[in-house]
Every structure is written in C-alpha cells, then in structure tokens.
Amino acid sequence: MPQTFTTRTLAVETGSTETVYDLTEACAEFLRDEAKGRSGLLNVFTPHATAGLAVIETGAGSDDDLLQALHTLLPADDRWHHRHGSPGHGRDHVLPAFVPPHATLPVVQGELALGTWQSVVLVDTNRDNPERTVRLSFLA
C-alpha cells in the first residue's frame, strides 16, 4: 500500500491562565476520520514560540504538577532578557526548549498507541495569547 499523508489544523482556546490542555480526544477523532484502521505515525505540532506539547497523565494532579515544576524551573520574574507582555513573559519563550512544540506518536490499526494513563497535551504558559493552533498530521 502506498504511503499517504493527511493533516488537519485545530484552533485551541487556552484562556488567560497557564494551562495544560488535553488534545487526546481531538487526536483520536482525527485518526478515526483519517487513519481508517491503518497503522503509521501521528505528528502533533504547535507553531508557537511560547507553547509546547507533552505526553503525560492528566486528571490526577500531574497537569498541575507540571505547571508547578515549570514555575520552579522557569520563574515568571524579571530575570529574562526577552521583555514584553506580562511580567516574566521571557520564560514563555524558553518553554519550548523544555516542552517541545512537537510530538510523534505511534498509530496501530487506526488508534493511538498510548499507555494506559498517557494523554497528549498542549502546555501553554503564555497568558497573553489565548488562541493557539495545533496541527495534526498522519503518515501511513
């Protein structure tokens, strides 16, 4: 069977607070529509300089733990050279070095091959930009 590639862009509203936004169901829906039982790779990409993607457990406090760890690692204070927007915004531009703007995940027979507690999430610490884009791409 020849390789196929398909892609879709999602608009995500993250609001005015730091957030871990679960994309797992949107990824599964995309694969139901496009993979149609085939195996391949799902690439998830966010074209922003101040957001990233992660695969973590959600709903049991891990999302809050991740945000707290980022506060410890990347404090929102005036130490950053990149200065505009909200106080400490420079750290938002460093975030993608720690939480990359992409993830490539296995798809087996049309479904994400995630572990039991794993979810695909958008990590957004930039309170100045509540509108995000995420691109889902499937390669069979």
Side-chain angles (χ1 to χ4, degrees):
M1 174 182 264
Q3 286 189 341
T4 59
F5 175 82
T6 186
T7 190
R8 176 182 298 168
T9 302
L10 306 174
V12 177
E13 292 284 332
T14 57
S16 60
T17 60
E18 297 177 2
T19 190
V20 174
Y21 185 94
D22 196 336
L23 298 167
T24 310
E25 183 53 40
C27 292
E29 179 182 324
F30 171 69
L31 292 172
R32 280 192 296 275
D33 293 345
E34 303 297 338
K36 302 188 188 311
R38 295 174 295 165
S39 297
L41 295 172
L42 174 68
N43 181 264
V44 186
F45 176 74
T46 187
H48 298 284
T50 59
L53 295 157
V55 177
I56 65 168
E57 178 180 8
T58 59
S62 297
D63 15 13
D64 291 333
D65 289 342
L66 174 58
L67 291 175
Q68 185 58 46
L70 290 171
H71 276 279
T72 301
L73 185 64
L74 305 170
D77 58 24
D78 64 357
R79 74 182 69 202
W80 307 101
H81 295 285
H82 185 108
R83 294 176 190 219
H84 69 81
S86 296
H89 175 66
R91 63 95 183 231
D92 298 328
H93 287 274
V94 176
L95 173 77
F98 295 91
V99 183
H102 57 86
T104 300
L105 307 164
V107 176
V108 178
Q109 297 178 342
E111 295 186 8
L112 272 176
L114 294 174
T116 301
W117 303 112
Q118 289 181 316
S119 296
V120 181
V121 299
L122 174 68
V123 180
D124 187 2
T125 59
N126 181 359
R127 296 172 287 140
D128 297 334
N129 186 358
E131 298 175 8
R132 298 302 187 158
T133 300
V134 175
R135 178 171 297 281
L136 306 177
S137 301
F138 175 66
L139 177 63

